[in-house]
Amino acid sequence: MTGENAVRLRPPRNAVDERAVAWWRSRLLAATAAPAVALAVLGALLGPARTWLLLAAGAVAALGLVCTAFLPAWWFRVHRWEVTDEAVYVRTGALWQEWRIAPMSRIQTVDTVRGPLEQVFGLATVTVTTASSKGAIRIGGLDHEHAAELAERLTALTRATPGDAT
C-alpha cells in the first residue's frame, strides 16, 4: 500500500475507560485468591507440608497484591485504541508492547462481549476479527454503551469499504 491509501503505524489516540483499572484489579485479585486459598487450605490440612504450603500461599498472595497494586495503572497508561475511516489501531502490553492495525477492508466480523466482571463495572470488549493469522484485535475496558456504538460504527465503515485487491 502506497500513497494516500497507506495505513501507518502510529500511536492510537484513545485510552480505555478509567473503570478498566478497577476491572483489571478485580481480575488479578480473583486470579491470586484462588491459588493462595487453595495452598492455604492444603497447608492447614497437610501437616507434614504445612510450612512449605503456607509459605507458598503467602508468596502467591504477596506477589498477587503487588501486581494488583501496580499493573492495572500501568496498563491504563499503555493500552490505546483508535478507529479511523481506514483502519482500527490498537496498542497493548506493558513490557512487551504490541501494536496492531486492521485495515477496514480486512475486517470480517465485529463483536462485543460483556463478561460478568465487565458487567459489574459497566464495561465491554469489542473484538475485531480479520483474516490475520495473529488473530482478532480486542479493545477491552470500554464503556458498554460506547462499545456498542463503536461496533455499529465499525460495521458501517466495513460495509462501506471496498475489499482490498492485494
Side-chain angles (χ1 to χ4, degrees), residues 22-151:
W23 172 52
W24 288 326
R25 281 199 172 114
S26 297
R27 290 175 52 189
L28 284 169
L29 282 175
T32 298
V37 168
L39 287 167
V41 168
L42 286 173
L45 297 175
L46 302 174
R50 178 170 291 133
T51 302
W52 295 109
L53 288 168
L54 292 177
L55 281 173
V60 167
L63 181 61
L65 290 174
V66 168
C67 289
T68 299
F70 296 106
L71 288 180
W74 186 5
W75 293 338
F76 180 77
R77 286 191 298 275
V78 173
H79 283 63
R80 294 285 180 266
W81 66 275
E82 183 177 358
V83 173
T84 67
D85 290 344
E86 292 82 31
V88 176
Y89 299 82
V90 177
R91 182 182 72 193
T92 59
L95 295 176
W96 286 270
Q97 287 190 359
E98 180 179 50
W99 297 52
R100 305 260 322 263
I101 300 173
M104 289 298 164
S105 62
R106 300 296 181 146
I107 294 175
Q108 296 176 333
T109 62
V110 179
D111 303 300
T112 56
V113 175
R114 295 186 71 206
L117 275 177
E118 284 177 301
Q119 291 178 43
V120 168
F121 290 100
L123 300 173
T125 298
V126 172
T127 303
V128 178
T129 306
T130 67
S132 168
S133 63
K134 186 70 173 167
I137 293 177
R138 288 177 181 78
I139 307 170
L142 300 177
D143 174 79
H144 72 96
E145 291 176 358
H146 188 247
E149 292 168 5
L150 180 61

Side-chain angles (χ1 to χ4, degrees), residues 2-44:
T2 58
E4 292 180 25
N5 293 332
V7 177
R8 301 194 190 289
L9 186 62
R10 59 181 180 69
R13 291 185 175 96
N14 304 314
V16 298
D17 192 283
E18 290 179 357
R19 292 173 288 176
V21 174
W23 172 52
W24 288 326
R25 281 199 172 114
S26 297
R27 290 175 52 189
L28 284 169
L29 282 175
T32 298
V37 168
L39 287 167
V41 168
L42 286 173

